[in-house]
Amino acid sequence: MTERFDCYHCNESLYGKKYILKEENPHCVACFEELYANTCEECGTPIGCDCKDLSYKDRHWHEGCFHCSRCGSSLVDKPFAAKEEQLLCTDCYSNEYSSKCQGCKKTIMPGTRKMEYKGSSWHETCFTCQRCQQPIGTKSFIPKEDQNFCVPCYEKQYALQCVQCKKPITTGGVTYREQPWHKECFVCTACKKQLSGQRFTARDEFPYCLTCFCELYAKKCAGCTNPISGLGGTKYISFEERQWHNDCFNCKKCSLSLVGRGFLTERDDILCPDCGKDI
């Protein structure tokens, strides 16, 4: 007797019949399709063994059911796009969903590289510098009045030149005496500390920080010997080529303030009338 050759599921004999192996077990066509065939997304019927099964993201279609959900054209062996679980040919997808290029006004096809800036889109080759017309690509650029410029072209056409280093000022900058400076170039003439955002003064049109200006040019108080800057409304007393801070102009003996009062001098000292009456 010959050994029986039956369907693994229904036990019907497979002699002389078409069968399919599943995990090395033979199945008749009917059992295989009932147990393992995928259901077509379009028509809802099983995709039989004699049909081509087309799949996309765990979804399956008969070859004849795999078409664009808008125009109905076949998508077999053609590029397509998916939107909200619907499959669309590239033409339908572009017409309905693709953005338009700000440069050439044509559709930016799915899968095409594009550049985006402030809600607008360009083909990669259309996103160019307004001045030199070269594609900007991933390089830095500077927008001006709805136009885009590569950095070298912007500097040539629009950027101010720093008075100190003569190079373009592309961001920030400081204006002093109606002339432009880089922040890092606008420094104290003496100590070279940056003056941007700091209090400073000038002598002979050269800027100085307050510390350097006081050390170099301010008069010294005859009382405390510290500089009298005269800046910010600082008041001082001047008498016979000597100067005092208001707070330092006091009687040498009793320390009475002599601001707005009569006083006497004894050598380098100043005295109130009472302390100086015995001179």
Side-chain angles (χ1 to χ4, degrees):
M1 294 180 64
T2 58
E3 185 179 354
R4 289 182 62 82
F5 185 57
D6 301 333
C7 172
Y8 181 76
H9 182 67
C10 70
N11 296 321
E12 289 291 328
S13 175
L14 296 176
Y15 280 113
K17 298 180 181 179
K18 185 177 180 180
Y19 67 91
I20 300 98
L21 286 176
K22 177 68 174 178
E23 297 175 356
E24 299 185 0
N25 296 315
H27 292 73
C28 66
V29 173
C31 287
F32 182 86
E33 291 183 351
E34 179 184 348
L35 294 172
Y36 303 113
N38 294 307
T39 301
C40 177
E41 289 283 331
E42 179 67 17
C43 67
T45 61
I47 302 174
C49 300
D50 56 347
C51 297
K52 195 171 183 178
D53 186 335
L54 302 179
S55 64
Y56 172 72
K57 289 188 175 181
D58 295 327
R59 299 165 67 199
H60 300 264
W61 292 262
H62 291 104
E63 186 174 14
C65 296
F66 193 61
H67 53 71
C68 174
S69 62
R70 288 287 188 278
C71 68
S73 61
S74 175
L75 298 178
V76 178
D77 297 327
K78 294 180 180 178
F80 63 90
K83 184 71 173 180
E84 297 174 354
E85 297 191 353
Q86 291 186 328
L87 302 183
L88 302 168
C89 65
T90 52
D91 288 340
C92 289
Y93 183 89
S94 299
N95 291 334
E96 190 154 347
Y97 299 110
S98 290
S99 52
K100 297 293 188 289
C101 175
Q102 190 73 12
C104 67
K105 309 304 180 185
K106 295 180 181 179
T107 299
I108 301 176
M109 300 297 288
T112 304
R113 289 193 65 181
K114 66 178 180 179
M115 310 299 292
E116 294 183 329
Y117 177 67
K118 286 190 174 180
S120 296
S121 302
W122 290 261
H123 292 108
E124 187 177 25
T125 54
C126 294
F127 191 62
T128 59
C129 170
Q130 182 69 24
R131 190 170 186 269
C132 69
Q133 297 301 309
Q134 294 301 307
I136 293 173
T138 57
K139 295 182 292 185
S140 298
F141 67 95
I142 300 174
K144 183 176 177 64
E145 297 174 356
D146 296 327
Q147 298 175 335
N148 301 312
F149 295 84
C150 64
V151 174
C153 285
Y154 181 86
E155 291 177 350
K156 290 175 184 176
Q157 188 158 338
Y158 295 108
L160 298 172
Q161 303 294 315
C162 174
V163 173
Q164 178 66 24
C165 69
K166 310 304 180 186
K167 294 180 180 179
I169 301 172
T170 55
T171 58
V174 176
T175 300
Y176 174 64
R177 293 186 182 273
E178 298 184 358
Q179 293 179 317
W181 306 64
H182 288 113
K183 287 184 178 180
E184 57 271 22
C185 293
F186 188 59
V187 298
C188 172
T189 304
C191 70
K192 307 306 179 185
K193 181 175 72 174
Q194 287 191 28
L195 298 177
S196 177
Q198 308 295 323
R199 294 184 65 196
F200 67 92
T201 187
R203 184 178 178 90
D204 299 328
E205 297 189 1
F206 293 103
Y208 292 87
C209 66
L210 296 188
T211 301
C212 289
F213 179 82
C214 289
E215 290 179 355
L216 293 171
Y217 301 113
K219 300 179 183 297
K220 301 297 189 291
C221 175
C224 67
T225 70
N226 290 325
I228 302 173
S229 68
L231 300 173
T234 302
K235 295 182 179 180
Y236 65 95
I237 308 297
S238 180
F239 175 70
E240 292 183 352
E241 298 184 357
R242 290 190 294 166
Q243 289 79 31
W244 291 261
H245 293 107
N246 264 22
D247 294 340
C248 297
F249 193 60
N250 303 322
C251 175
K252 180 68 175 178
K253 290 186 177 181
C254 69
S255 299
L256 177 71
S257 174
L258 299 178
V259 177
R261 300 170 180 266
F263 61 90
L264 303 171
T265 60
E266 182 181 18
R267 300 183 183 86
D268 291 336
D269 298 331
I270 55 173
L271 304 169
C272 66
D274 290 340
C275 293
K277 64 184 177 181
D278 296 328
I279 297 177

